[in-house]
Amino acid sequence: MCKIVFNKIYLSGKEKDYIADALIRGNVSGDGHYTRKVNEFLEEKFALEQVLMTTSATHALEMAAQLINLKENDEVIMPSFSFSSTANAVLKEGAKPVFAEIKPDTFNLDPLDFEAKITDKTRAVIPVHYAGISCEMDQIREIAAENNIYIIEDAAHAVNSFYRGEAAGSMGDFGCYSFHGSKNFVSGEGGALIINSRQKKLIKKAEIIREKGTNRSRFLRGEIDKYSWVGEGSSYLPSDILMALLFAQLEEIDDITAQRKKVFDYYNYHLNEFLTQDFLEVIPSVPSDRKSNYHIYYLKFKNQKIRDFVLKELRRYGIEAVFHFLPLHSSPMGKKLGYSKEELRLTNDIADSMLRLPIYPDLSRSDLEFIIGTLRVIFSQISQAGG
Ligand SMILES: *Cc1c(COP(=O)(O)O)cnc(C)c1O
């Protein structure tokens, strides 16, 4: 029986050449030839003020949390519907993650709940652009500005996504990208921290944090004749070998996105009719003021029982579908922090009743036909059983 895996990385074919070239150039540590190329590419394509390549989005989030000097008792608001890294960055600085509700249509941070959760201890908000569709950034920016709160965009899903013409990652004080193997454009492990113009004064500090607490970045630019230990820091630079791999992917960023869009549109075209049935509640749609990178395709069902049935049946037919994000507030760590599973009902409901379908350029027309044909069979079983 054919097996359709959940994710396959895209390869442009140039990865090997660029990696070999990086090896021949000899500088395989951080900030070499390909790191500069990737940097320039991202800054130009997305009109970003300053990009610092990192070893992961997790590390970019950690750097952002350090840059705003989070302290004990500070609070940072974020959706519970996210990955552990969003909250860990805040915890590492001794501050408190405060979990907010998401919206039922995009599964993105609900600006009204963000506003409701602001206290005099709130220092920052971390909107997560779920599935590659941007949050309501105008509302979020307005609320953040009124309350003097930093915005750190968790744009791990959203490289090459736009909101009203602005790139994800370019709208907050800081933006964090991921190039993890599970994302659209990959270096295996990798990420980027974006520092926007309002925080320009923090670029030097960020360079020091990223370079083990030294001013080596200034030394490499020839601004000083030796480098030394000048502050706190760690090592957040990716190897130039990984950036060579990433550059091969970024050169085809729009082509990769177009291929993912085809899969997304195919699913939407064929699944739209099932929204009239009461067991299927939501399929993704891209609001007209946004451009998606088509990172995730999801289906939200009426309840967990139906979701689990569809998941099990798809797997039986060899189609790998998965669910997403055990909400942070109801995870074991969330409980340790004092949150209760009873909170954030909508987040719980969405996490319990959604699944994600395979979406990547390598899916063939016959793969897609098989997935839709299988879903039709499963859906007719559900409607015959009366939902
Ligand atoms: C994948 C992901 C991250 C972490 O990315 P890494 O590059 O693997 O560290 C952070 N936030 C969200 C929302 C993610 O999905």
Side-chain angles (χ1 to χ4, degrees):
M1 189 177 60
C2 91
K3 165 118 180 128
I4 299 176
V5 300
F6 178 68
N7 192 32
K8 250 191 218 172
I9 60 164
Y10 171 88
L11 292 173
S12 78
K14 290 207 185 131
E15 286 84 356
K16 277 187 193 161
D17 295 344
Y18 291 173
I19 289 170
D21 184 51
L23 290 170
I24 290 163
R25 284 171 186 274
N27 176 14
V28 294
S29 47
D31 285 337
H33 176 75
Y34 283 98
T35 311
R36 279 195 295 278
K37 283 180 94 73
V38 165
N39 239 344
E40 280 166 20
F41 181 95
L42 294 173
E43 285 174 2
E44 195 181 309
K45 171 119 184 127
F46 301 130
L48 303 171
E49 188 74 28
Q50 174 79 48
V51 174
L52 294 174
M53 299 311 296
T54 62
T55 28
S56 63
T58 303
H59 282 163
L61 286 160
E62 285 180 20
M63 286 181 69
Q66 278 181 59
L67 284 167
I68 63 169
N69 269 321
L70 276 184
K71 292 193 186 60
E72 222 175 299
N73 296 324
D74 285 348
E75 295 176 356
V76 177
I77 298 171
M78 64 188 70
S80 171
F81 194 64
S82 188
F83 191 59
S84 57
S85 299
T86 319
N88 272 333
V90 169
L91 278 182
K92 269 189 77 149
E93 301 305 304
K96 183 183 168 197
V98 172
F99 298 120
E101 195 53 281
I102 48 178
K103 288 171 59 93
D105 52 349
T106 54
F107 305 174
N108 276 334
L109 179 67
D110 180 349
L112 296 179
D113 200 41
F114 156 45
E115 191 166 26
K117 294 215 152 94
I118 294 173
T119 69
D120 55 8
K121 293 178 189 154
T122 308
R123 296 280 319 286
V125 59
I126 311 185
V128 178
H129 305 302
Y130 185 72
I133 296 172
S134 168
C135 296
E136 313 277 347
M137 288 308 290
D138 279 351
Q139 264 174 290
I140 291 170
R141 280 189 286 205
E142 198 181 313
I143 298 164
E146 274 168 14
N147 292 279
N148 204 15
I149 289 171
Y150 286 104
I151 300 175
I152 301 168
E153 293 176 75
D154 182 338
H157 291 185
V159 180
N160 208 27
S161 297
F162 296 83
Y163 172 82
R164 301 184 178 171
E166 291 179 87
S170 75
M171 297 178 277
D173 298 288
F174 305 93
C176 304
Y177 285 165
S178 175
F179 302 107
H180 182 262
S182 62
K183 306 299 203 280
N184 290 19
F185 323 105
V186 309
S187 58
E189 301 283 351
L193 174 69
I194 296 132
I195 303 176
N196 295 323
S197 50
R198 284 182 305 284
Q199 304 304 334
K200 215 168 182 170
K201 60 185 189 301
L202 291 179
I203 292 171
K204 282 223 171 73
K205 189 176 168 192
E207 285 180 345
I208 290 164
I209 290 174
R210 181 169 166 269
E211 268 280 20
K212 302 101 185 160
T214 74
N215 50 7
R216 188 159 180 266
S217 298
R218 295 189 63 197
F219 170 73
L220 290 177
R221 285 195 297 267
E223 293 168 18
I224 46 178
D225 58 12
K226 64 176 178 359
Y227 71 89
S228 50
W229 184 27
V230 293
E232 274 186 50
S234 188
S235 183
Y236 293 131
L237 292 79
S239 160
D240 212 50
I241 300 173
L242 291 182
M243 295 300 98
L245 165 50
L246 180 59
F247 188 63
Q249 307 240 316
L250 291 180
E251 279 185 327
E252 304 202 359
I253 189 168
D254 288 320
D255 190 41
I256 298 171
T257 304
Q259 292 186 54
R260 300 182 76 101
K261 180 181 191 305
K262 270 193 192 161
V263 177
F264 185 97
D265 288 346
Y266 184 89
Y267 284 149
N268 260 4
Y269 179 79
H270 290 279
L271 295 174
N272 197 44
E273 65 179 277
F274 293 98
L275 285 174
T276 57
Q277 309 220 15
D278 81 333
F279 60 82
L280 183 65
E281 290 185 345
V282 190
I283 60 175
S285 71
V286 186
S288 60
D289 60 354
R290 274 157 260 194
K291 267 198 203 156
S292 181
N293 67 357
Y294 307 97
H295 178 51
I296 288 172
Y297 192 90
Y298 58 78
L299 302 174
K300 188 209 172 295
F301 295 96
K302 192 168 92 181
N303 57 41
Q304 182 168 11
K305 195 171 147 239
I306 293 170
R307 189 275 307 272
D308 290 349
F309 176 73
V310 178
L311 206 57
K312 192 184 81 200
E313 287 299 294
L314 283 171
R315 287 195 181 149
R316 205 163 62 79
Y317 282 97
I319 300 163
E320 227 173 59
V322 300
F323 53 80
H324 210 200
F325 293 152
L326 296 166
L328 298 174
H329 79 282
S330 48
S331 65
M333 187 59 189
K335 273 182 207 142
K336 270 191 219 167
L337 293 170
Y339 292 94
S340 138
K341 195 174 157 47
E342 305 311 310
E343 296 167 64
L344 306 175
R345 298 251 162 185
L346 185 60
T347 296
N348 286 333
D349 172 50
I350 288 168
D352 284 345
S353 58
M354 68 93 84
L355 64 75
R356 302 161 60 193
L357 293 177
I359 180 167
Y360 45 88
D362 226 35
L363 282 169
S364 66
R365 182 79 186 192
S366 66
D367 290 336
L368 293 174
E369 282 168 5
F370 179 63
I371 293 169
I372 290 297
T374 305
L375 281 171
R376 282 184 186 282
V377 171
I378 299 169
F379 288 174
S380 78
Q381 281 175 276
I382 295 170
S383 46
Q384 269 159 35

